[in-house]
């Protein structure tokens, strides 16, 4: 589960908020490749069905047009609380049944509360769509929300609140909303507060559901490999009998004239962040499209804000926006070294904005932004989940007929439109400025470990078969083994490996590549940091094109290139040849300009100076050193680097015989190979291939450390231990199945039920094993109140011991196998997932059909196999533990 506040974890990457929509459709329209099937049922439910045969997978997304804005006065977060309770069961569908269905289908299911919408989405194999539709219909009809269930879920919500309030980016954006939209519903985010939730009752949540979760207040989007007419018939049958209801009045939004404001927040970040924020046009404004283009222009790598990086004044710069119906937040955010003056940085950003307002924005950047908008629409067809999200955004959020409405509006935007919006809205005198100031951490100290005890068993009753509703019983049928089309593989004479996976989706091609490398083995002693410097300097152009010229070439074809030991290209099909030429130019003929070298070296050294004072660095470094001590860069090692060091490392690492390149999308294998030969065949390597795989580390000893952080309300608990097995060990498949039972199937997992569902000790808990050719690490992380940490650790330990002493139940084993087998198909739900998965398999030296082999391996696992694997590999008392949280004086 999620809320819009989660997007504040990165100020630079935000999900767009939502708007109230009016009725859009009457009757039904025909479906085609570019004409989804749309209909409105008699009860008011609007339906959009989008055919996409990328994979035998579909996403069902239910959008309720209610969010944090509609929460009752004095009870912020009511919509968020209801979102949580929707997973606690409905009449005729218990929480256990819901979890069983999701697990049986291998579903990727979650939810999100934003300010004016709440969304429930689930991606499943195509044969599970009708079942998920019935789940959503049951939840639309009602929820259980008994007081006992609400008390249990409230504990998890409180942990989520404390987790978000421990994040400075979340606090920053919350303050921006309050300043830009004061005295309106937009001023509060959907998260909620501990005090409001303690005053909330299950009855209140049932009323909120009755008031707002009606078919006439919802938009259902189904995207994927479905037959539209048959799916619509299912929707009519399943939802058609749910009666509409009168809707309450929505809160009025009356935006007040802006007043300038200044915000300062102490943070645990490694560097300072300065923000200048403005109010921009919202969805309802005819200038919304021009505002979007304006934001993209200001964010351009050819723009004057981004130039702060090349001038050595900033480490990172972005301009982004977060839109609501009546207004949007537009903000410039700059990350810069801690020794620099924040007021000077704010003034610099304001001058750049003022110059654009006075002199106008460059026309070529406006055209580039419009081209990219059109290309992004084409790229959206390469992801089934992304396609469902785009249609939900357009129809349920912005009130459009389709995503193409936005695209058409952007196409009509002129340079004068953009400049008019800039003059009207980018007013420095009423802007809101904010600064995040790093606060140095205390150093790690040993943490006394309490006796975990062995007398009390905290293990709940083991999972037994759950009786499902008749309509869901087919979901429990065991899935057939997936059949996946293999990629076409070839190797150039210079050793460059080419994988090609054609798909019939959008008219675009994506390329993902990797140069196999291991800095801890390949970076010379005393040259730590040269790998980061190298990867950063690729963005400064090539020997033939400087930084601005290179970016202009990309803008002209609406392509994106990233270069480094991991590299990528996203490009419209018609411009693939030029895109490949630019990718090769960037990788094989990088410029590494002297001035850029000097500036970037200083930026990295400055960033390390701040980073190595931050609590996050102390926590993660302490954990890493406890399990596998490795070298790391320091300000001194980076400052000592020379251009010759950089060139030598580049020549040593960048070799075609260590490189894999994956093509996915609208591309034929012969053409892909021909382009690779055309632009990469002259690439050569010298000497023997280097070793790029770290040796197995020695077994770690159990340790425990505490890192104080004044900014946190919660403890972040990180546990890690070395394992004595590698990827090719026979225990791999039993461990994967066992880990899924332990934590992989979120709502059905043992850790979820033990630590969250019944006890409310955590909001989330994750466990996993990183398997490599020669080494493996097992880790567990969770966040919780300091007073709950010891109990959470005790329950975790008991769960691990239980995996070693009692066989898992037959039902758990069956569910885990079914889930893992079905997940194979879901990994092909987007071209990016396909490309990165194939790249990982190739880089790790695994068969390219490993997902199918894994499915066979999972099916062969027995309960005794899991018991044996956990006994022989996992050490419940062998973790290196780091707790990162509030200092002792603030611990309750």
């Amino acid at each position: 589960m999620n809320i819009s506040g989660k997007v504040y974890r990165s100020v630079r990457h935000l999900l767009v908020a939502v708007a109230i929509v009016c009725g859009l459709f009457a009757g039904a329209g025909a479906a085609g490749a570019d004409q989804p099937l749309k209909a409105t049922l008699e009860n008011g439910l609007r339906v959009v069905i989008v055919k996409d045969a990328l994979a035998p997978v579909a996403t069902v997304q239910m959008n309720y047009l209610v969010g944090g804005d509609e929460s009752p006065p004095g009870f912020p977060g009511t919509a968020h609380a209801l979102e949580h309770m929707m997973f606690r069961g409905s009449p005729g569908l218990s929480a256990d049944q819901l979890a069983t269905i999701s697990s049986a289908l291998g579903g990727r299911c979650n939810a999100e509360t934003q300010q004016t919408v709440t969304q429930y989405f689930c991606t499943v194999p195509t044969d599970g769509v009708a079942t998920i539709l019935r789940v959503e219909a049951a939840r639309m009809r009602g929820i259980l929300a008994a007081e006992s269930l609400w008390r249990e879920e409230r504990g998890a919500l409180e942990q989520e609140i404390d987790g978000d309030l421990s994040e400075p980016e979340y606090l920053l954006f919350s303050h921006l909303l309050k300043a830009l939209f004061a005295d309106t519903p937009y001023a509060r985010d959907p998260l909620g507060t501990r005090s409001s939730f303690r005053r909330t009752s299950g009855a209140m949540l049932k009323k909120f559901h009755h008031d707002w979760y009606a078919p006439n207040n919802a938009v259902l989007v189904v995207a994927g490999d479905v037959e539209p007419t048959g799916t619509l018939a299912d929707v009519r049958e399943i939802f058609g009998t749910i009666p509409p209801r009168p809707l309450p009045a929505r809160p009025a939004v009356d935006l007040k004239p802006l007043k300038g404001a200044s915000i300062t927040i102490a943070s645990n970040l490694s560097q300072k962040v300065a923000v200048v924020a403005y109010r921009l046009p919202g969805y309802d404004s005819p200038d919304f499209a021009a505002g979007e283009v304006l934001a993209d222009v200001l964010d351009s790598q050819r723009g004057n804000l981004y130039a702060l990086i090349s001038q050595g004044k900033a480490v990172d710069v972005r301009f982004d926006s977060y839109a609501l119906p009546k207004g949007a937040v537009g903000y410039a955010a700059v990350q810069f070294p801690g020794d620099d003056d924040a007021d000077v940085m704010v003034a610099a950003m304001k001058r750049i904005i003022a110059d654009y307002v006075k002199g106008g924005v460059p026309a070529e950047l406006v055209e580039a932004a419009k081209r990219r908008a059109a290309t992004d629409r084409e790229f959206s067809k390469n992801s089934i989940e992304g396609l469902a999200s785009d249609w939900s955004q357009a129809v349920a959020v912005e009130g459009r007929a389709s995503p193409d409405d936005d695209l058409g509006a952007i196409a009509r935007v002129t340079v004068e439109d953009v400049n008019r919006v800039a003059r009207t809205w980018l007013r420095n005198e009423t802007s809101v400025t904010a600064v995040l100031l790093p606060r140095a951490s205390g150093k790690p100290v040993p943490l006394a470990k309490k006796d975990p005890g062995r007398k009390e068993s905290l293990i709940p009753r083991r999972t037994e078969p759950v009786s499902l509703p008749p309509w869901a019983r087919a979901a429990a049928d065991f899935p057939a083994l997936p059949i996946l089309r293999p990629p076409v593989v070839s190797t150039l004479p210079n050793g460059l490996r080419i994988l090609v996976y054609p798909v019939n989706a959008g008219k675009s091609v994506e390329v993902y590549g990797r140069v196999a490398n291991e800095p801890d083995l390949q970076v010379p002693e005393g040259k730590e940091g040269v790998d980061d410097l190298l990867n950063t300097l690729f963005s400064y152009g090539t020997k033939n094109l400087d930084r601005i010229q290179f970016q202009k070439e990309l803008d002209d074809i609406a392509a994106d290139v990233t270069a480094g030991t991991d590299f990528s290209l996203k490009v419209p099909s018609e411009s693939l040849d030029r895109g490949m030429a630019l990718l090769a130019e960037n990788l094989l003929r990088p410029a590494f300009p002297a001035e850029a070298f000097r500036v970037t070296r200083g930026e990295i050294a400055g960033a390390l100076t701040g980073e190595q004072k931050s609590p996050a660095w102390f926590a993660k470094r302490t954990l890493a050193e406890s399990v596998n001590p490795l070298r790391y860069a320091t300000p001194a090692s980076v400052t000592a680097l020379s251009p010759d060091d950089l060139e030598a490392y580049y020549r040593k690492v960048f070799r075609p015989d260590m490189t894999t390149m994956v093509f996915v999308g609208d591309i034929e294998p012969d053409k892909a190979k021909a382009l690779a030969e055309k632009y990469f065949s002259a690439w050569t390597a010298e000497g023997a291939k280097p070793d790029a795989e770290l040796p197995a580390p020695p077994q770690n000893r159990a340790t425990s450390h505490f890192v104080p952080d004044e900014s946190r309300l919660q403890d972040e608990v990180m546990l890690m231990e070395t394992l004595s097995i590698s990827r090719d060990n026979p225990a791999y498949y039993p461990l994967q199945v066992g880990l899924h039972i332990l934590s992989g199937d979120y709502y059905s997992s043992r850790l979820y039920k033990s630590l969250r569902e019944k006890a409310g000790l955590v909001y989330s808990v994750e466990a996993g094993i990183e398997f490599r050719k020669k080494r493996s690490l097992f880790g567990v992380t969770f966040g919780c109140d300091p007073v709950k940490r010891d109990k959470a650790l005790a329950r975790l330990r008991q769960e691990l011991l239980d995996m070693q002493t009692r066989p898992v139940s037959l039902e758990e084993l069956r569910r885990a196998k079914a889930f893992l087998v079905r997940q194979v198909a879901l990994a092909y739900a987007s071209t990016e997932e396909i490309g990165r998965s194939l790249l990982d398999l190739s880089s790790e030296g695994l068969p390219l059909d490993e997902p199918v082999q894994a499915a066979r391996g999972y099916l062969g696992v027995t309960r005794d196999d899991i018991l044996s694997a956990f006994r022989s590999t996992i050490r419940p008392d062998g973790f290196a533990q780091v707790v990162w949280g509030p200092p002792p004086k603030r611990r309750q």
Side-chain angles (χ1 to χ4, degrees):
M1 284 168 277
N2 197 0
I3 66 163
S4 63
K6 291 293 185 291
V7 303
Y8 311 151
R9 293 187 184 280
S10 170
V11 172
R12 302 185 300 275
H13 302 289
L14 299 174
L15 294 173
V16 184
V18 298
I20 299 168
V21 304
C22 302
L24 290 175
F25 313 125
D34 297 311
Q35 181 60 51
L37 181 61
K38 299 183 287 188
T40 299
L41 306 191
E42 291 185 3
N43 58 11
L45 177 65
R46 282 169 287 157
V47 184
V48 179
I49 302 172
V50 190
K51 172 76 173 179
D52 187 331
L54 176 64
V57 167
T59 295
V60 176
Q61 184 157 335
M62 179 65 79
N63 303 271
Y64 290 101
L65 309 186
V66 58
D69 289 355
E70 285 75 27
S71 294
F75 291 88
T78 299
H80 180 206
L82 175 57
E83 175 222 304
H84 276 241
M85 294 305 294
M86 288 278 278
F87 291 86
R88 286 281 183 166
S90 298
L93 182 68
S94 70
D96 283 343
Q97 288 175 324
L98 179 59
T100 299
I101 292 168
S102 174
S103 177
L105 293 175
R108 293 199 298 227
C109 304
N110 214 321
E112 179 174 84
T113 303
Q114 300 181 26
Q115 282 167 297
T116 53
V117 74
T118 306
Q119 298 173 317
Y120 300 85
F121 35 89
C122 195
T123 301
V124 294
T126 302
D127 60 5
V129 168
T131 301
I132 294 301
L133 289 175
R134 291 190 181 278
V135 166
E136 292 303 340
R139 300 204 294 184
M140 181 181 282
R141 287 188 172 92
I143 58 169
L144 296 180
E147 296 300 332
S148 59
L149 294 176
W150 166 236
R151 281 195 300 272
E152 290 176 350
E153 189 61 32
R154 188 177 65 201
L157 273 163
E158 289 174 347
Q159 298 310 306
E160 184 180 5
I161 290 169
D162 286 354
D164 283 346
L165 294 178
S166 296
E167 299 290 343
E169 297 97 330
Y170 172 84
L171 295 174
L172 167 64
F173 210 85
S174 296
H175 282 296
L176 292 181
L177 288 176
K178 291 175 184 176
L180 291 167
F181 301 114
D183 301 321
T184 75
Y186 297 170
R188 61 178 185 265
D189 68 76
L191 179 63
T193 66
R194 278 178 172 258
S195 62
S196 69
F197 289 148
R198 287 175 180 173
R199 291 181 285 109
T200 298
S201 67
M204 292 172 62
L205 295 176
K206 280 189 175 182
K207 182 179 185 305
F208 193 81
H209 179 281
H210 180 270
D211 287 347
W212 293 105
Y213 277 48
N216 49 310
N217 195 42
V219 176
L220 173 65
V221 176
V222 181
D225 190 19
V226 296
E227 197 286 304
T229 303
T231 302
L232 179 58
D234 288 342
V235 171
R236 290 189 187 280
E237 176 190 349
I238 293 167
F239 288 89
T241 59
I242 303 175
R245 292 192 291 272
L247 300 175
R250 299 184 187 273
V253 177
D254 181 18
L255 297 182
K256 308 296 191 297
L258 272 177
K259 299 178 181 179
S262 180
I263 301 164
T264 301
I265 299 173
S267 84
N268 56 12
L269 301 177
S270 61
Q271 298 183 66
K272 292 178 181 176
V273 175
V275 173
V276 180
Y278 307 87
R279 191 189 290 166
L280 291 179
Y283 299 132
D284 291 352
S285 171
D287 282 330
F288 176 61
E292 287 187 295
V293 174
L294 173 62
D296 288 342
V297 168
L298 295 176
D299 190 50
S300 170
Q301 293 189 26
R302 289 194 278 158
N304 294 337
L305 281 171
Y306 194 85
L308 292 170
I309 298 176
S310 60
Q311 295 165 7
K313 298 176 181 178
V315 176
D316 193 18
V317 179
R318 291 300 301 265
F319 192 97
D320 214 331
S321 61
Y322 175 84
L324 293 160
K326 303 298 182 184
V329 180
Y331 60 90
V334 175
Q335 183 181 346
F336 58 101
D339 292 338
D340 292 355
D341 192 314
D343 291 337
V344 172
M345 185 58 67
V346 167
M349 287 191 286
K350 285 187 172 183
R351 279 196 303 273
I352 292 170
I353 296 296
D355 288 345
Y356 278 132
V357 170
K358 181 179 179 180
V361 299
E364 62 178 355
L365 294 189
V366 171
E367 292 307 311
K370 292 166 65 175
R371 278 195 299 273
R372 286 191 176 276
T375 303
D376 288 346
R377 173 76 180 104
E378 196 64 29
F379 283 139
S380 72
K381 300 174 184 177
N382 295 336
S383 167
I384 289 173
E385 290 172 326
L387 199 58
S389 178
D390 281 357
W391 276 89
S392 294
Q393 175 70 24
V395 177
V397 174
E398 298 180 21
R400 321 292 183 196
S402 84
D404 290 336
D405 287 2
D406 269 335
L407 195 59
I410 288 172
R412 293 189 292 272
V413 168
T414 66
V415 176
E416 178 47 40
D417 291 334
V418 176
N419 286 327
R420 174 175 47 77
V421 169
R423 291 190 299 269
T424 304
W425 297 87
L426 298 181
R427 296 173 178 257
N428 281 330
E429 64 272 17
T430 59
S431 64
V432 176
T433 62
V435 177
L436 272 63
L437 297 176
R439 183 159 46 189
S441 168
K443 293 187 176 181
V445 297
L447 183 67
K449 294 187 72 173
K450 295 187 177 182
D451 180 3
R454 294 180 182 269
K455 295 181 180 178
E456 179 186 9
S457 175
L458 300 173
I459 305 301
R461 179 175 58 86
R462 280 293 151 247
T463 302
E464 300 300 335
V466 174
S467 177
L468 296 178
W471 50 264
R473 288 171 189 163
D477 293 342
F478 211 80
L481 279 172
I483 300 174
L484 299 178
R485 173 168 48 89
V488 177
V489 183
S490 59
T491 302
L492 302 190
N494 61 4
L496 176 62
R497 193 180 196 203
I498 308 297
L499 280 61
V500 188
Y501 196 91
V503 298
N504 183 21
K507 296 296 182 182
S508 62
V509 179
E510 298 171 24
V511 180
Y512 299 95
R514 178 174 300 145
V515 181
N517 70 105
E518 180 47 69
D520 286 295
L521 295 176
Q522 293 173 284
V523 170
E525 195 78 32
K527 307 297 181 182
E528 291 81 9
V530 68
D531 52 321
D532 289 334
L533 181 59
L534 173 64
N535 282 322
T536 303
L537 280 169
F538 277 106
S539 65
Y540 282 86
T542 73
K543 295 186 184 301
N544 298 318
L545 299 167
D546 66 23
R547 181 181 70 84
I548 299 294
Q549 291 169 334
F550 185 77
Q551 188 59 46
K552 182 182 184 304
E553 291 286 328
L554 292 175
D555 286 344
D556 286 346
I557 59 172
D560 286 315
V561 163
T562 62
T565 48
D566 273 52
F567 57 89
S568 66
L569 165 68
K570 293 178 68 175
V571 62
S573 304
E574 62 186 10
S575 300
L576 176 59
D577 190 294
R578 183 57 182 154
M580 285 292 291
L582 290 170
L583 177 64
E585 176 85 5
N586 203 183
L587 286 172
L588 307 186
R589 289 174 287 280
F592 304 149
E595 179 62 14
F597 176 91
R598 183 191 66 79
V599 167
T600 304
R601 182 182 61 184
E603 289 175 344
I604 292 176
L608 287 170
T609 299
E611 179 183 337
Q612 293 177 6
K613 297 176 183 177
S614 70
W617 186 85
F618 278 119
K620 293 172 184 177
R621 177 53 52 186
T622 300
L623 186 64
E625 290 181 341
S626 298
V627 296
N628 189 27
L630 297 171
R631 293 180 293 143
Y632 56 90
T634 65
S637 69
V638 171
T639 302
L641 293 172
S642 69
D644 288 343
D645 296 329
L646 184 78
E647 287 286 350
Y649 185 72
Y650 170 73
R651 290 193 302 271
K652 178 180 181 180
V653 171
F654 274 74
R655 304 170 54 105
D657 55 354
M658 298 290 286
T659 302
T660 299
M661 188 179 295
V662 182
F663 292 76
V664 188
D666 182 27
I667 180 71
E668 292 301 320
D670 289 345
K671 181 176 180 180
K673 183 179 180 182
L675 287 171
E677 288 175 332
K678 179 178 179 180
Y679 292 111
F680 288 90
S681 61
W683 188 12
T684 60
E686 298 177 3
K689 293 172 66 172
D691 184 6
E693 192 66 41
L694 286 168
Q699 180 172 291
N700 69 286
R701 62 185 182 88
T703 58
S704 188
H705 290 86
F706 173 72
V707 177
D709 183 350
E710 291 278 357
S711 300
R712 293 193 65 83
L713 298 178
Q714 268 191 333
D715 281 345
E716 181 77 12
V717 181
M718 300 182 290
L719 307 169
M720 188 173 290
E721 66 182 25
T722 55
L723 301 184
S724 59
I725 64 170
S726 57
R727 175 63 179 80
D728 58 0
N729 192 287
Y732 173 79
Y733 293 124
L735 282 173
Q736 291 292 71
V737 177
L739 278 172
H740 180 78
I741 292 168
L742 183 69
S743 71
D745 185 5
Y746 188 65
Y747 300 108
S748 295
S749 75
R750 290 186 175 189
L751 291 183
Y752 173 87
K753 290 182 175 296
S754 179
L755 274 70
R756 173 177 164 161
E757 185 177 75
K758 299 301 181 184
L761 298 175
V762 305
Y763 171 62
S764 64
V765 55
E766 298 179 0
I769 298 178
E770 178 190 355
F771 287 96
R772 300 290 295 273
K773 291 180 182 178
K774 301 178 182 179
R775 59 206 302 271
S776 298
L777 296 171
F778 175 45
V780 183
T781 61
F782 61 85
C784 66
D785 290 345
V787 296
K788 296 181 177 181
R789 188 192 74 226
D790 289 335
K791 183 176 287 188
L793 284 168
R795 284 182 174 245
L796 168 64
R797 179 177 179 275
Q798 289 289 344
E799 290 288 357
L800 291 173
L801 288 172
D802 195 58
M803 294 291 296
Q804 297 180 322
T805 56
R806 286 202 295 169
V808 300
S809 72
L810 289 172
E811 177 64 11
E812 287 177 311
L813 183 62
R814 190 194 65 80
R815 281 193 198 178
K817 290 181 178 182
F819 185 95
L820 291 168
V821 170
R822 287 186 182 273
Q823 280 281 300
V824 173
L826 266 61
Y828 282 67
S830 75
T831 50
E832 181 170 356
E833 287 180 281
I834 295 169
R836 295 197 182 278
S837 174
L838 291 172
L839 183 61
D840 288 342
L841 292 171
S842 179
S843 299
E844 294 165 14
L846 295 171
L848 297 179
D849 67 344
E850 164 59 18
V852 177
Q853 292 189 28
R856 294 192 185 98
Y858 300 145
L859 294 180
V861 170
T862 68
R863 296 193 298 168
D864 286 343
D865 291 337
I866 296 172
L867 202 64
S868 175
F870 270 75
R871 281 175 179 168
S872 62
T873 59
I874 305 299
R875 294 174 290 132
D877 296 319
F879 285 113
Q881 172 185 308
V882 174
V883 178
W884 164 25
K889 64 183 178 181
R890 288 183 41 230
R891 302 177 73 80
Q892 300 176 353

